[in-house]
Amino acid sequence: VNTNFTKSFLAIMTNSRILLRPAASSSSSWRRMMMKKMPSSSSTTRVASVPFSKSMVPWTARRSISGAAALSDRFSCKQIHNNTSSPFGITQLQQQRFFASSSDNESSESNESKNNAKEAKQGATKRVQMEEKNKTSLEFQAETKQLLDIVTHSLYTDKEVFLRELVSNASDACEKLRHVQATSTHPIVDPDVPLEIHIETDEMNSTLTIRDTGIGLSREEMITNLGTIAKSGSKAFVQEELSRKATQADGGTGELDMSKGIIGRFGVGFYSAFMVGDQVEVKSKPAIEKKEGQEHHQVPPPQHWVSEGVGSFDISDLNPDIRQDRGSSIVIHLKDEYPQYANEKTIESILKKYSNFVNFPIFLNGNRVNTMEAIWSKDAKDVDEETYSAFYKYIANAYDEPLDVLHYKADAPIDIKALFYIPSFHSEKYGMERMGPGVSLYSRKVLIENKSADILPDWLRFIKGVVDSEDLPLSISREKAQDTALIRKLRKALTRKLISHFTKMAKKETDRYKDEFYREYQFFLKEGICQDYEFQEPLSKLLFFETSKTSKGEITSLDEYVSRMTPDQKEIYYLCAPSRDLALESPYLEVFEQSGKEVIFVYSAIDDFVMANLEKYQGRALISAEKSDIDVANDDQKDDDDSADKKDGSDSSTSATKLSDTQATEFCAWVQMTMPEKVSVCKVTKRLASSPAVVTDNESSAMRRMMRMVDADSQSGGREGMPLPKQQMEINPNHPIIVGINTIRETEPTLAKVLVEQIFDNCLMAAGLLDDSRSMLPRLNDILLTVVKGANKDGDDDATKMNANESSSSTASTTDKKED
């Protein structure tokens, strides 16, 4: 039996419901053995063990798993089902006949079956012993050339990432040597040479050199680490050092900092050099003079490693004429299509983007590049305001001073260090494009994702800063975080921390919060309420509004509003209007002013969405003042209204200034009949005092305006998009206009119709639902003309009366003269 196939076969026998039988014929001994091994009650049977004999080899296990292939056609693997026909062509009738024939012969051959079972058991024992004797464990192999091609062309998104990977490797080499110098007694080559990273560009020869003064590589390490793909020397170094320290009695903790300073994890970053280079050279001189077990101090000779990244490499002692100081040098011979990576400006921009905060100095052609310090890794008490300001201007590319800073560390759900800035202003309010994310993701001070969209929700895009995690699970290309569930937890933790910071500012620095932060970023908080349901409640506590009881420009929180509510008030009322002046003049506010109830004023479309999304605050419903079933009158007011109604009903002299119940009902019916396409319901209301009518329970004016903006049909070819639905109209029977129209609707029906249509449009205007006020112009002109004609007629009547008076006065004067 093929030994490479043994495990696959045993796995099939163990984990699959398989029946082995000869494909061509079925001997009685085979049937008897199978009947002994299979449970009679199972419809799909698994053979527990099958004794091997010379007559059963070779055999076949046909199954769709890796490594299972047909070895011969003598035996086949059949799976029995209760279906009418199995996928292998065995019908249910054939199965019944097969087992029936075996059952008939079982009683007559019982002794033979017992002997066969005994032989089978002995054979199985011998087979197991033979397999154990010949057992071989093998490892998976990889096609090196193909794997290199994948790493070179398919692993990384951006070609420029190769520089980040190589600089990280150089930083790891320096970090290893720093640790060895602190913990080991081995002599170090050139111990006074500082730990640095040097990069040289050569545009003439189209080469890029990355050199470090770190621990270096011996010949064996070059073969092991550079010659084995996915073999991380940094990871192995950390594990070795931690294991060594664990065996020591002192149990020191120095390795903790060392392990956090090491960047490399996967062992593939070095091969990214082949993305831009057709040949890579590595020259290295080890830094440690003595190895364990060596009797004399000696320095291994510098080594020279060369490869074109096509599946093989050459290694040799470095030519003595070529100088190589302590550490390693990587020379990349750039491909013809990537000459930009030999340009100093290009390399400088890449270094500042990805590697500006590594622990060791980086010099580009002799000039230091990474002058900015990773202040997020420090304690907040060790960083002054000037340093915070300089770092903000660097990462945000800004010129203003930050409004506030949040610098904190946490160890749940993973170890993180975060530094957040609130800018003094944002650019979206000036009509510029929508801002992108402002927080970058780092791991061990190396950029993983610039302006990451996964760290904070979109409504916090105004926040600038960095988040660094040494324990963050990364993809093999180190360009993206890998564990999406963990990232979601991290996102929630950071969001919760920022909201807590805003809340703290609102409580302890209320004036600063209102005047600076809230006025600048209130729309982002409201956007968060509409988008992020999980944080609606804490975000709602950060909202501030003007109300009917505050002065102009003075804003109050929802908590303060609730604290001023009367005991009988169970709901929170708000009114949407374009400005405070229009809100104060709104007919919807009249009933609240009469009852002394406070109303929140919201001025923008997003405010209307916020109230609709919140629905409740501290168990109290948020109710629009435009609803029809609002009952805010207190008990004293209700008693006064009832007394006034009874008095008006008993005094016939008031019929000229107020409609009776019968007249009001008839008037409402006439309104519905006059405007059947506009009014669905017309009824009497007691909520109005100085206004003749309102429309209630209407759709949100803000929503309607937004829908019209996105409705393409309403903007094309004169087609009418989003027609206004029928409205519910409520009239004030005490208003002189309503009483007057009711008086003339029989004698002047045309004029009465024009007037009631104008009242309806006035109601739409007050509700913000009139799409185009120019539609009222013809009607207004007719009304003005009627007024002018009426005025002229009254003028003519007055003139006639004046002439008559003057004539009578003149006659009287003449009579008096005659008498005289």
Side-chain angles (χ1 to χ4, degrees):
V1 180
N2 189 332
T3 55
N4 287 336
F5 193 71
T6 302
K7 286 199 294 183
S8 299
F9 175 71
L10 291 177
I12 294 172
M13 296 297 294
T14 303
N15 301 317
S16 304
R17 295 179 177 181
I18 298 296
L19 172 67
L20 261 82
R21 68 174 181 83
S25 62
S26 301
S27 64
S28 60
S29 61
W30 172 268
R31 291 197 303 271
R32 288 194 301 270
M33 179 190 69
M34 295 305 300
M35 289 302 298
K36 280 290 184 182
K37 296 299 178 182
M38 61 181 65
S40 60
S41 62
S42 176
S43 61
T44 303
T45 308
R46 179 188 299 176
V47 179
S49 63
V50 178
F52 281 85
S53 64
K54 294 181 179 179
S55 63
M56 294 177 60
V57 181
W59 45 264
T60 303
R62 299 174 184 252
R63 183 160 176 82
S64 299
I65 65 170
S66 176
L71 299 182
S72 73
D73 293 327
R74 182 172 178 181
F75 287 83
S76 64
C77 176
K78 302 291 185 179
Q79 185 168 13
I80 295 179
H81 298 269
N82 271 339
N83 301 331
T84 303
S85 177
S86 73
F88 301 100
I90 303 176
T91 65
Q92 188 173 8
L93 180 60
Q94 289 173 334
Q95 296 174 30
Q96 293 173 352
R97 290 176 179 176
F98 175 80
F99 292 111
S101 61
S102 299
S103 178
D104 293 339
N105 296 329
E106 183 177 6
S107 59
S108 63
E109 300 177 348
S110 58
N111 295 330
E112 184 179 356
S113 298
K114 293 178 180 179
N115 294 333
N116 288 338
K118 184 177 181 180
E119 293 176 1
K121 183 176 181 180
Q122 294 174 351
T125 303
K126 293 180 179 180
R127 175 176 56 82
V128 172
Q129 294 174 351
M130 182 64 69
E131 287 183 353
E132 289 294 333
K133 181 177 179 180
N134 297 328
K135 181 179 180 180
T136 303
S137 297
L138 302 176
E139 294 184 353
F140 290 105
Q141 302 298 315
E143 179 60 43
T144 306
K145 184 177 180 179
Q146 179 66 18
L147 185 57
L148 271 174
D149 185 77
I150 292 174
V151 172
T152 302
H153 299 102
S154 305
L155 187 60
Y156 297 96
T157 304
D158 298 323
K159 302 292 184 183
E160 63 183 20
V161 175
F162 83 94
L163 187 59
R164 179 198 70 179
E165 298 294 281
L166 297 179
V167 170
S168 298
N169 289 347
S171 175
D172 283 351
C174 294
E175 185 68 34
K176 294 175 190 176
L177 183 56
R178 183 180 70 85
H179 173 73
V180 170
Q181 288 176 324
T183 60
S184 176
T185 59
H186 295 306
I188 304 298
V189 175
D190 301 328
D192 296 332
V193 175
L195 298 174
E196 297 173 344
I197 302 171
H198 292 265
I199 300 175
E200 290 93 24
T201 59
D202 188 345
E203 292 189 73
M204 182 175 295
N205 296 316
S206 191
T207 62
L208 177 66
T209 303
I210 299 97
R211 176 170 55 87
D212 66 73
T213 59
I215 198 167
L217 295 169
S218 65
R219 184 184 186 90
E220 293 76 13
E221 290 171 335
M222 276 190 170
I223 296 173
T224 302
N225 296 334
L226 302 185
T228 305
I229 300 174
K231 171 68 174 179
S232 175
S234 297
K235 183 177 180 180
F237 178 83
V238 172
Q239 292 175 346
E240 180 181 351
E241 289 298 309
L242 291 177
S243 299
R244 179 185 61 81
K245 196 64 178 180
T247 61
Q248 295 179 358
D250 56 1
T253 59
E255 278 67 18
L256 182 61
D257 294 333
M258 179 274 300
S259 64
K260 289 186 175 181
I262 296 294
I263 300 171
R265 303 185 188 182
F266 304 111
V268 296
F270 167 77
Y271 306 100
S272 63
F274 292 107
M275 289 194 299
V276 297
D278 50 21
Q279 186 184 69
V280 176
E281 297 181 61
V282 180
K283 295 173 286 186
S284 186
K285 180 180 180 180
I288 301 177
E289 293 186 356
K290 181 182 178 181
K291 296 289 185 180
E292 292 289 345
Q294 292 179 341
E295 297 180 358
H296 304 287
H297 294 183
Q298 59 181 0
V299 179
Q303 298 296 308
H304 186 207
W305 185 96
V306 182
S307 177
E308 295 180 356
V310 292
S312 63
F313 61 88
D314 299 327
I315 186 170
S316 62
D317 291 345
L318 184 65
N319 189 332
D321 296 335
I322 300 177
R323 179 180 176 180
Q324 174 60 42
D325 296 328
R326 185 194 72 197
S328 301
S329 299
I330 300 176
V331 181
I332 304 174
H333 298 268
L334 298 171
K335 297 177 181 179
D336 294 338
E337 58 266 35
Y338 300 116
Q340 67 270 25
Y341 295 117
N343 180 268
E344 182 177 354
K345 293 295 184 182
T346 302
I347 296 300
E348 182 180 4
S349 64
I350 298 174
L351 289 172
K352 288 186 175 181
K353 179 180 180 181
Y354 291 101
S355 306
N356 205 35
F357 303 107
V358 296
N359 291 329
F360 303 97
I362 300 176
F363 294 90
L364 176 59
N365 295 334
N367 299 316
R368 183 166 180 178
V369 177
N370 59 335
T371 56
M372 188 65 63
E373 192 175 5
I375 62 175
W376 67 79
S377 61
K378 295 184 174 182
D379 290 333
K381 62 182 180 181
D382 298 331
V383 185
D384 55 28
E385 292 185 5
E386 184 178 352
T387 305
Y388 277 131
S389 177
F391 189 81
Y392 162 72
K393 293 176 181 178
Y394 170 77
I395 63 167
N397 195 24
Y399 60 86
D400 61 310
E401 295 294 329
L403 177 63
D404 203 8
V405 180
L406 174 59
H407 185 183
Y408 86 106
K409 299 179 181 180
D411 55 5
I414 56 176
D415 181 65
I416 56 174
K417 302 178 183 68
L419 178 58
F420 294 134
Y421 290 95
I422 304 175
S424 59
F425 69 94
H426 68 90
S427 58
E428 288 187 13
K429 66 178 180 180
Y430 298 121
M432 301 178 68
E433 63 180 356
R434 183 182 179 87
M435 295 188 300
V439 178
S440 298
L441 177 63
Y442 285 75
S443 181
R444 302 171 188 259
K445 303 179 184 178
V446 176
L447 179 66
I448 302 301
E449 188 176 6
N450 189 38
K451 312 301 182 186
S452 175
D454 300 325
I455 299 301
L456 292 177
D458 185 58
W459 62 270
L460 281 172
R461 60 188 178 277
F462 64 92
I463 296 292
K464 310 297 181 183
V466 299
V467 173
D468 192 320
S469 176
E470 297 173 349
D471 302 328
L472 193 67
L474 303 175
S475 62
I476 193 170
S477 64
R478 297 202 306 146
E479 294 178 298
K480 198 79 173 177
Q482 191 174 27
D483 192 337
T484 55
L486 185 60
I487 290 298
R488 284 195 297 269
K489 291 181 180 179
L490 176 62
R491 176 189 180 119
K492 290 180 180 179
L494 295 175
T495 304
R496 194 175 292 110
K497 184 65 178 180
L498 282 168
I499 294 176
S500 175
H501 183 71
F502 301 153
T503 304
K504 181 179 178 181
M505 185 192 303
K507 291 181 178 179
K508 295 187 176 181
E509 302 177 83
T510 306
D511 293 339
R512 181 167 174 256
Y513 175 86
K514 291 180 181 180
D515 298 336
E516 299 182 33
F517 175 80
Y518 188 75
R519 293 193 184 279
E520 188 70 21
Y521 297 107
Q522 57 176 304
F523 290 101
F524 294 92
L525 301 180
K526 295 170 183 177
E527 182 181 334
I529 289 178
C530 297
Q531 291 182 351
D532 207 336
Y533 178 79
E534 182 178 358
F535 296 104
Q536 272 191 357
E537 183 178 352
L539 283 175
S540 64
K541 296 181 180 297
L542 298 173
L543 299 180
F544 284 76
F545 301 98
E546 288 189 19
T547 72
S548 57
K549 292 188 176 181
T550 61
S551 58
K552 186 175 183 179
E554 182 185 356
I555 55 178
T556 185
S557 67
L558 292 178
D559 284 334
E560 293 171 338
Y561 175 95
V562 171
S563 67
R564 294 192 295 264
M565 289 172 56
T566 57
D568 62 317
Q569 183 178 343
K570 305 300 182 183
E571 298 167 328
I572 299 174
Y573 303 105
Y574 68 93
L575 176 61
C576 186
S579 65
R580 180 179 180 86
D581 293 338
L582 292 176
L584 292 173
E585 296 175 1
S586 173
Y588 298 102
L589 191 64
E590 293 177 8
V591 65
F592 298 97
E593 291 180 335
Q594 294 173 3
S595 62
K597 299 293 190 298
E598 187 175 11
V599 179
I600 294 172
F601 293 158
V602 294
Y603 303 132
S604 62
I606 193 172
D607 290 330
D608 207 355
F609 295 131
V610 167
M611 296 301 182
N613 276 272
L614 277 179
E615 294 183 350
K616 290 185 177 182
Y617 183 79
Q618 293 185 0
R620 295 173 172 84
L622 294 164
I623 304 297
S624 172
E626 299 175 5
K627 287 185 66 68
S628 63
D629 55 351
I630 289 179
D631 184 12
V632 297
N634 53 41
D635 295 338
D636 294 337
Q637 287 180 311
K638 292 178 181 179
D639 294 340
D640 293 342
D641 292 339
D642 293 340
S643 299
D645 290 340
K646 293 178 181 179
K647 182 178 180 181
D648 292 341
S650 61
D651 189 357
S652 60
S653 63
T654 62
S655 59
T657 58
K658 177 183 177 181
L659 298 183
S660 65
D661 293 342
T662 302
Q663 291 174 326
T665 302
E666 293 176 352
F667 183 83
C668 289
W670 174 77
V671 169
Q672 287 184 245
M673 187 170 54
T674 303
M675 298 181 291
E677 296 180 355
K678 297 181 179 181
V679 178
S680 60
V681 176
C682 181
K683 61 182 181 179
V684 176
T685 183
K686 297 180 179 180
R687 65 180 295 165
L688 299 175
S690 59
S691 300
V694 291
V695 291
T696 56
D697 289 340
N698 49 274
E699 64 177 320
S700 167
S701 59
M703 175 68 76
R704 180 171 178 79
R705 287 194 299 270
M706 182 167 292
M707 293 302 296
R708 284 183 61 83
M709 289 175 61
V710 300
D711 185 13
D713 291 340
S714 65
Q715 307 293 333
S716 60
R719 295 176 58 189
E720 183 181 0
M722 291 189 65
L724 187 69
K726 292 183 179 181
Q727 302 295 311
Q728 177 173 307
M729 188 174 179
E730 298 184 5
I731 65 168
N732 178 8
N734 299 332
H735 200 278
I737 294 179
I738 299 298
V739 175
I741 293 176
N742 184 67
T743 303
I744 66 172
R745 67 185 177 90
E746 297 291 343
T747 58
E748 298 285 347
T750 302
L751 178 59
K753 179 181 178 181
V754 171
L755 292 176
V756 78
E757 287 178 346
Q758 184 60 47
I759 289 176
F760 179 76
D761 279 356
N762 291 346
C763 294
L764 296 182
M765 183 78 75
L769 297 176
L770 191 64
D771 294 331
D772 192 349
S773 58
R774 290 174 294 184
S775 62
M776 296 191 302
L777 292 179
R779 188 189 312 114
L780 287 175
N781 290 333
D782 292 341
I783 294 174
L784 292 175
L785 182 61
T786 302
V787 172
V788 170
K789 286 182 177 180
N792 289 336
K793 182 178 180 181
D794 292 341
D796 293 339
D797 293 341
D798 292 341
T800 301
K801 291 179 181 179
M802 284 181 71
N803 291 334
N805 292 334
E806 289 177 357
S807 177
S808 85
S809 298
S810 176
T811 303
S813 176
T814 303
T815 303
D816 292 339
K817 288 180 179 179
K818 287 180 179 181
E819 290 176 355
D820 292 338

